[in-house]
Amino acid sequence: MTIEIIKSKLPTIPKVSGVYKFLDVNREVLYVGKAKNLFKRISSYTNKNALSSRIFRMITLAHDIEYVI
């Protein structure tokens, strides 16, 4: 998943609290996180300069994002 793909999914992500998962191509969970505002938290992954190398690698392996409110 590239940062552009995350940006394309942002319009569908609500601004409420919940849990989100980054999934790889095989639908295996790469990362699970929680947020008071899902939109703000997931959009923070689009700031390439603020990402650690570990998080940037996870973003490149991810193919989908799921969330639960």
Side-chain angles (χ1 to χ4, degrees), residues 10-48:
L10 285 177
T12 64
I13 297 173
K15 296 178 180 177
V16 297
S17 62
V19 176
Y20 61 96
K21 298 185 290 186
F22 282 98
L23 306 169
D24 70 6
V25 70
N26 298 318
R27 309 280 307 155
E28 296 290 327
V29 176
L30 294 170
Y31 182 78
V32 176
K34 62 182 180 177
K36 288 185 180 179
N37 184 323
L38 287 167
F39 178 83
K40 280 185 178 181
R41 182 64 188 119
I42 294 172
S43 67
S44 73
Y45 290 104
T46 63
N47 186 357
K48 185 177 179 179

Side-chain angles (χ1 to χ4, degrees), residues 48-66:
K48 185 177 179 179
N49 296 329
L51 299 176
S52 69
S53 59
R54 177 182 63 86
I55 298 297
F56 184 74
R57 184 166 187 272
M58 178 199 58
I59 297 297
T60 61
L61 294 174
H63 281 103
D64 198 10
I65 302 171
E66 288 182 353

